[in-house]
Amino acid sequence: PLKINFNLKVLQLINKNFYKLLSIILIALVSLAAIEATVYIFSKVGRIKLASRDEIRTMAKSGMEDSKSPAPVYIPHPYFGYVYTPSSRVSQINGVTNTPVYMQSNSEGFIDDEFPVERKEGLCVYGIMGGSAAMSWGMNQREHRISYHLEKMLNDNLRNSKCREYRVLNMGIGSHTLYQAAQIYLYYKNLLDGVIFFGGFNECAHGAMLTNNEPVQFPVINVYASLHIPSPIIGQIAEERRGLAKKANFLLKHPYLIYSPSIRFLFKLMAQSVEKLQKRLQDEGHQAMALPGIKGKYKEKLRGLFPKLTALGFLQSYDYDNPDVPKVIEKVLPLMYTDPVLNTYVVSMTANAHFLSVIQPMMYITGKETNWKALNFASYHFQKACVEKLKDEARKLESHGVKTYNLNEINKKAYKKDFFIDQVHFKKEGTEVAARSLFEIIKKEWHQ
């Protein structure tokens, strides 16, 4: 009787509050639907960002691969300013996809296999030098980089009695200019049978650094490692990435959750918190380390040529008619581009080595509609101004016997908009086209 009486009371209570419970459930469902709809609409109009399924997959894989704190990206170098942390697996964030790009450095701080120790009979060694575009930033695998494609083309097509085998060294470093490339060549010249200077964009953009008290030779870099003191932020980044990887794996095991815009938005926020930590790590390096630069009146004279132009204003200028942008590029290129090319050419002639000067391809050649909003200085107008000024410098170099090949004109139609990751960095399809252009030039200039 007591059990029956209890059950009756429970039923009466449920019956009495049924409509209240139903109302609460309905309100909760409607609120949840409204939240999901709001998040979805905001994502469509660009007010917020949602994590894509590919980003979640990448984080699930890469985060768990980091079994220990990641190595700092750069360390200082006494001659080159900085190189990648030697013999390390370093990572940098792809600004377009917000996913990490992993790169394996060799013992000398370049993103490549180990370099030869010395020249060997029958082995021809070429080096491709410049900034991140020359290095093929964005490509995780060596087989997708310009240097590898070129090496394979040479070995497949141009073996001869002197060059029974070819090795193309990937000697580009992110944010380097040809000034630093010249230092690298001087250091390795006894190893190289030929050198390719592949640049232009960093040299044009370098003018902004002069208004921001950066060293003239060495542009913005991420060198917290220069202190040789482990920052607690490095461990924090690794820990948060591992946590994100676990969450990403949970979502992949329950894929129905990924259909929720709110869940993808929350995951994106957590990923952005890691990006903020990486930015803090970079800022610590800038605050704590000043690399050597040009001193005295010469530097101040250069900066005085455009005192009203801020770094931000320079990088965000879309207006080709604005006289400041071409003016800054014109004043900086002789120092950052022309002099290093000419000096290296003279040394290469003395060393009886091949030399090739190349203006790198830029995204603007595929059309005005390719402006990349994430970085305004990638605009069609900036890149066009850059290439036009580089062509002026190339004419000066030609008067000294240095021929320059402009890859924005050679094989131009082969480059498609979707071959670029961003304004100057290639996907694997783009690296192969660039390597093909270099191969054809080398075949003509060095082997005929």
Side-chain angles (χ1 to χ4, degrees):
L2 289 173
K3 185 176 181 181
I4 293 172
N5 187 46
F6 175 77
N7 288 338
L8 286 172
K9 287 184 177 181
V10 170
L11 289 171
Q12 288 172 355
L13 181 65
I14 293 174
N15 185 57
K16 182 179 179 181
N17 294 285
F18 174 76
Y19 291 107
K20 289 183 179 180
L21 290 171
L22 182 62
S23 298
I24 292 171
I25 293 171
L26 287 174
I27 290 171
L29 290 173
V30 171
S31 300
L32 183 62
I35 291 171
E36 295 290 342
T38 302
V39 171
Y40 179 78
I41 292 170
F42 274 37
S43 70
K44 285 299 181 182
V45 299
R47 298 296 298 274
I48 61 175
K49 293 183 179 180
L50 308 183
S52 67
R53 190 179 293 268
D54 286 342
E55 285 181 81
I56 294 171
R57 285 199 194 98
T58 300
M59 185 59 71
K61 181 180 179 182
S62 63
M64 295 306 289
E65 286 177 350
D66 293 335
S67 58
K68 58 182 180 179
S69 298
V73 178
Y74 300 115
I75 65 168
H77 190 282
Y79 307 119
F80 314 151
Y82 59 94
V83 293
Y84 292 100
T85 300
S87 302
S88 298
R89 184 171 178 264
V90 298
S91 69
Q92 292 178 306
I93 294 297
N94 183 323
V96 178
T97 63
N98 286 319
T99 55
V101 175
Y102 288 98
M103 304 174 290
Q104 179 63 45
S105 62
N106 63 21
S107 61
E108 299 182 62
F110 295 90
I111 305 301
D112 201 352
D113 291 344
E114 289 300 318
F115 290 171
V117 177
E118 58 185 11
R119 282 188 178 179
K120 294 181 180 179
E121 185 178 354
L123 175 65
C124 288
V125 181
Y126 300 155
I128 179 169
M129 302 178 184
S132 53
M135 184 266 284
S136 299
W137 183 89
M139 297 294 99
N140 291 301
Q141 300 178 40
R142 179 175 181 264
E143 292 75 17
H144 294 161
R145 298 187 182 120
I146 295 174
S147 54
Y148 177 84
H149 287 308
L150 179 57
E151 179 179 292
K152 187 174 187 305
M153 292 172 190
L154 291 168
N155 281 310
D156 289 348
N157 299 281
L158 286 182
R159 292 177 188 259
N160 53 49
S161 58
K162 180 183 178 182
C163 301
R164 298 192 295 272
E165 183 183 355
Y166 292 92
R167 177 78 164 86
V168 178
L169 308 184
N170 190 3
M171 308 181 92
I173 300 282
S175 293
H176 267 200
T177 65
L178 295 188
Y179 181 96
Q180 288 144 303
Q183 314 307 313
I184 292 173
Y185 177 71
L186 291 174
Y187 191 89
Y188 287 99
K189 66 181 177 63
N190 293 328
L191 179 63
L192 298 172
D193 298 284
V195 59
I196 303 164
F197 265 33
F198 186 98
F201 183 85
N202 285 359
E203 291 71 25
C204 289
H206 189 72
M209 311 310 168
L210 295 174
T211 66
N212 204 28
N213 289 319
E214 293 287 344
V216 172
Q217 297 99 320
F218 308 117
V220 174
I221 56 174
N222 177 10
V223 288
Y224 184 74
S226 59
L227 295 179
H228 296 287
I229 300 173
S231 168
I233 298 178
I234 295 176
Q236 192 177 350
I237 290 171
E239 184 178 347
E240 292 209 13
R241 287 186 62 79
R242 285 193 288 269
L244 264 180
K246 291 178 182 178
K247 293 179 176 67
N249 276 300
F250 178 82
L251 291 178
L252 292 177
K253 290 177 182 177
H254 304 84
Y256 55 88
L257 293 173
I258 301 177
Y259 288 103
S260 165
S262 296
I263 289 176
R264 288 165 56 203
F265 173 59
L266 291 173
F267 188 88
K268 189 71 173 182
L269 287 179
M270 289 185 285
Q272 288 174 342
S273 71
V274 177
E275 294 168 24
K276 289 178 181 178
L277 285 174
Q278 290 173 322
K279 179 65 167 59
R280 278 179 57 195
L281 184 64
Q282 178 177 339
D283 290 342
E284 281 188 1
H286 289 306
Q287 293 164 8
M289 178 66 179
L291 291 173
I294 289 178
K295 306 293 183 182
K297 295 181 180 178
Y298 182 54
K299 182 174 181 178
E300 294 305 319
K301 184 178 179 181
L302 275 175
R303 191 177 287 123
L305 291 170
F306 26 87
K308 296 180 181 179
L309 189 63
T310 65
L312 185 63
F314 176 81
L315 296 177
Q316 291 187 336
S317 177
Y318 278 97
D319 185 8
Y320 180 61
D321 294 327
N322 182 340
D324 285 335
V325 173
K327 179 182 177 183
V328 172
I329 295 173
E330 182 178 350
K331 296 298 182 183
V332 171
L333 282 183
L335 174 68
M336 304 310 301
Y337 183 84
T338 312
D339 286 353
V341 169
L342 182 57
N343 292 338
T344 307
Y345 170 75
V346 172
V347 175
S348 70
M349 293 299 100
T350 304
N352 197 30
H354 297 296
F355 180 83
L356 182 62
S357 172
V358 173
I359 298 174
Q360 69 189 88
M362 301 184 198
M363 195 178 186
Y364 94 98
I365 62 176
T366 62
K368 290 186 178 182
E369 73 280 0
T370 60
N371 286 354
W372 188 42
K373 295 180 181 179
L375 283 176
N376 290 343
F377 66 85
S379 75
Y380 174 90
H381 300 297
F382 172 81
Q383 293 190 6
K384 183 178 179 181
C386 173
V387 172
E388 290 301 314
K389 294 301 179 184
L390 286 167
K391 287 161 67 176
D392 290 342
E393 296 304 308
R395 283 189 282 271
K396 297 177 186 176
L397 287 168
E398 192 167 2
S399 67
H400 294 282
V402 185
K403 186 173 183 179
T404 301
Y405 288 87
N406 182 3
L407 296 192
N408 295 282
E409 296 176 350
I410 297 173
N411 208 16
K412 174 181 177 179
K413 293 183 179 179
Y415 296 103
K416 309 297 181 184
K417 179 181 177 182
D418 58 0
F419 283 11
F420 288 84
I421 296 174
D422 51 43
Q423 74 277 21
V424 290
H425 300 117
F426 285 123
K427 297 178 182 177
K428 59 183 180 180
E429 297 86 354
T431 60
E432 191 167 1
V433 173
R436 173 63 61 182
S437 298
L438 294 177
F439 170 77
E440 295 296 338
I441 297 169
I442 288 172
K443 179 181 177 181
K444 174 185 175 183
E445 292 292 328
W446 296 0
H447 291 269
Q448 286 187 3

